[in-house]
Amino acid sequence: MEASAEPLTLALEELDLATALRVREVLVRSPVGSVVELDLTAARRCEDAAVMVVADAAIRCPTVHVALRGLAPRQLRLLQHLGFRVAGGEVGARAAEASIGFDVGRPT
């Protein structure tokens, strides 16, 4: 099944573990070539562990492009520390072909 040209945008008010697990299900069920955008710019709370769950899900779903907006700079540093490459707004896992786009802009 081929994905539509329109990305699926999920504007989240909070990213906790329960929400991250639901996002993981969305990624698993997304068609090949899909773009799923998580907008966290208005989120009241964004747990580090939940970000890791989403990043892990993106690696395990390499045919889906995941974009995250609104992560705190410390969360980006954490992803870099765990082996993700951050350059030009793109983050990719060393051991996977998945790419995850991140925009910095949320205060720590």
Side-chain angles (χ1 to χ4, degrees):
M1 178 182 343
E2 203 168 303
S4 67
E6 288 294 314
L8 170 63
T9 301
L10 304 172
L12 303 175
E13 293 181 6
E14 126 178 299
L15 185 62
D16 58 8
L17 285 175
T19 304
L21 292 173
R22 288 191 296 272
V23 168
R24 181 174 67 183
E25 281 303 309
V26 168
L27 297 180
V28 167
R29 295 171 188 254
S30 294
V32 170
S34 294
V35 176
V36 178
E37 298 175 347
L38 301 178
D39 184 354
L40 302 167
T41 55
R44 294 183 309 268
R45 185 171 65 136
C46 184
E47 296 176 2
D48 294 346
V51 171
M52 294 301 104
V53 168
V54 172
D56 180 67
I59 290 169
R60 294 173 189 275
C61 301
T63 62
V64 177
H65 180 79
V66 180
L68 286 146
R69 279 189 296 282
L71 288 178
R74 66 179 165 68
Q75 291 166 328
L76 289 172
R77 288 191 302 272
L78 177 61
L79 289 167
Q80 284 179 305
H81 179 73
L82 293 173
F84 288 85
R85 183 177 19 76
V86 179
E90 285 294 309
V91 176
R94 270 188 264 166
E97 295 182 17
S99 63
I100 308 166
F102 291 88
D103 292 327
V104 181
R106 195 158 175 242
T108 55

